[in-house]
Amino acid sequence: MQLPPFRLERYFARHEFTAPHLLCASDGQSLSVGELLALVPGAAEGLGHVHLGYTDSKGASALRQAIASLYTTIEPEDVLVHVGAEEAIFTFMTAALAPGDTLVVTTPCYQSLSDVARSVGCRVSPWGCDPAWGFAPDMAELPALLSGPAKALTVNFPHNPTGYLPTPETFAAMVGLAAEQGVRVFSDEVYRFSEAEGVATLPAACDLDPRAVSLGVLSKSFGLPGLRVGWVCCRDREFLARMASVKDYLSICGSAPSEYLAVCALTAREAILDRLNRLLAQNRRLLSDFFLARSDLFHFAAPRGGLTAFPGLRHGTADDFCQALLAAAGVLLLPGSLYGETWAKHFRIGFGRADFAENLERLAVFCQNWLPGPGNQSA
């Protein structure tokens, strides 16, 4: 297996901890350990008793029980805990695919959702999200893509980076079409529970189809990326065991303190999600007002879920725009070219953090001096 450089992660490695102001983060506002422990009576004392030995490779029993409670058909034995979501993506692709197989994937996408499969020797068929339709993929294209024949369908809703979210009926139709063709669904659901006001939370793919694999993590909607706790849920326990066998070559098992704190987070999930969703509601209004007032500069589709949006420039490239913004105002956006040259006019903006309003104001000041057209220089 020969993996290519991870463009987005290399971009963050270069800028995330040196840029003064991040406006492209994909995670929600985080908590300190003390703030998290304060949400659960007795948790601080319990942390002091955590044993620092090896942990169960499947994940701690209490953690798998807490994760299972997020779903309607899942038992703790249907859960496999990972170190973050990235490890889970790798274990799925390695367990599910073989050289010559075809993977269908919603596009644009987080690079590992496509490139791990390519590195295995698979053919990747993109299922494009159309900006003209609010980034909805064309359901009419899906039957032909699946009958390729495809081995797996990877979907991501709420979608990163666009914020697109189908209706529950449309999502069920996607999963149903795949099931009819014998195609296993890998559903990246890391932004679940961050839907816009009035937008329904999708059912989990693993609750709709026993062969489907749902991916979750505490990094995004829960705002706890420092815990590095992710998971997959699947009622096909034979396949889950194959994923566990791949994990034996990676982390083997998780961190005992992280898994303990993850149980605390899921115990206090209503308070944590309520806190984030209040912040998201405020930031979404600011986001929409900002781009609608600047329709001469940008194309914009309001996100229906998630913590990111994917505006497009009417003139010039996002690489030039993002570079000039960083140099002039110290504000970091994510150019769409990192998702492929098709998206070179787009950029990712994140609105899940508490400093969003002040960073958006910095972007507003920059836009006053931005000159659309050749060169796209700041005056």
Side-chain angles (χ1 to χ4, degrees), residues 32-44 268:
S32 69
V33 172
E35 288 171 325
L36 174 57
L37 291 173
L39 295 174
V40 182

Side-chain angles (χ1 to χ4, degrees), residues 180-339:
E180 289 172 9
Q181 299 273 9
V183 176
R184 191 183 297 274
V185 172
F186 182 68
S187 181
D188 179 345
E189 300 166 5
V190 299
Y191 292 96
R192 198 168 182 235
F193 309 122
S194 63
E195 298 79 14
E197 305 93 318
V199 177
T201 300
L202 296 183
C206 62
D207 286 327
L208 295 175
D209 176 10
R211 295 181 70 245
V213 178
S214 287
L215 172 68
V217 77
L218 290 180
S219 302
K220 306 302 183 181
S221 299
F222 288 87
L224 298 170
L227 292 184
R228 310 309 304 136
V229 172
W231 61 84
V232 292
C233 295
C234 180
R235 286 178 281 160
D236 181 349
R237 294 182 184 176
E238 181 180 347
F239 180 75
L240 206 63
R242 284 161 55 191
M243 289 187 65
S245 294
V246 177
K247 188 189 168 196
D248 288 341
Y249 283 91
L250 301 170
S251 67
I252 303 176
C253 66
S255 154
S258 284
E259 293 197 351
Y260 175 85
L261 292 170
V263 174
C264 293
L266 292 171
T267 301
R269 65 177 180 263
E270 289 187 13
I272 291 173
L273 293 172
D274 181 64
R275 167 183 170 271
L276 179 68
N277 281 311
R278 287 199 308 270
L279 176 63
L280 290 179
Q282 170 188 316
N283 287 352
R284 279 195 192 95
R285 287 192 291 271
L286 294 173
L287 178 79
S288 293
D289 290 348
F290 177 91
F291 284 105
L292 292 177
R294 292 165 179 80
S295 58
D296 58 324
L297 296 178
F298 306 104
H299 300 280
F300 176 70
R304 287 170 43 81
L307 312 178
T308 62
F310 206 46
L313 289 163
R314 292 191 181 275
H315 307 282
T317 68
D319 286 286
D320 290 340
F321 181 77
C322 294
Q323 183 178 353
L325 174 64
L326 181 60
V331 174
L332 188 68
L333 290 173
L334 191 74
S337 60
L338 294 171
Y339 294 95

Side-chain angles (χ1 to χ4, degrees), residues 93-108:
M93 298 296 173
T94 307
L97 301 171
D101 287 342
T102 296
L103 171 73
V104 178
V105 58
T106 46
T107 306

Side-chain angles (χ1 to χ4, degrees), residues 29-115:
Q29 184 66 31
S30 197
L31 296 167
S32 69
V33 172
E35 288 171 325
L36 174 57
L37 291 173
L39 295 174
V40 182
E45 181 181 359
L47 180 60
H49 295 293
V50 171
H51 180 65
L52 296 179
Y54 286 111
T55 61
D56 188 334
S57 63
K58 301 186 297 297
S61 175
L63 178 55
R64 287 185 285 117
Q65 182 71 51
I67 290 167
S69 71
L70 299 173
Y71 304 89
T72 59
T73 65
I74 296 299
E75 301 292 335
E77 290 305 309
D78 303 323
V79 179
L80 178 62
V81 177
H82 288 77
V83 177
E86 181 71 273
E87 183 183 54
I89 293 169
F90 189 92
T91 60
F92 172 83
M93 298 296 173
T94 307
L97 301 171
D101 287 342
T102 296
L103 171 73
V104 178
V105 58
T106 46
T107 306
C109 67
Y110 190 60
Q111 187 174 332
S112 57
L113 293 175
S114 60
D115 280 8

Side-chain angles (χ1 to χ4, degrees), residues 308-370:
T308 62
F310 206 46
L313 289 163
R314 292 191 181 275
H315 307 282
T317 68
D319 286 286
D320 290 340
F321 181 77
C322 294
Q323 183 178 353
L325 174 64
L326 181 60
V331 174
L332 188 68
L333 290 173
L334 191 74
S337 60
L338 294 171
Y339 294 95
E341 288 306 315
T342 300
W343 309 100
K345 284 186 169 293
H346 291 262
F347 58 89
R348 190 179 83 182
I349 184 169
F351 54 89
R353 294 192 176 180
D355 61 357
F356 174 73
E358 59 193 69
N359 288 333
L360 192 66
E361 182 58 32
R362 292 183 174 96
L363 177 59
V365 172
F366 174 81
C367 287
Q368 291 175 359
N369 299 319
W370 176 253

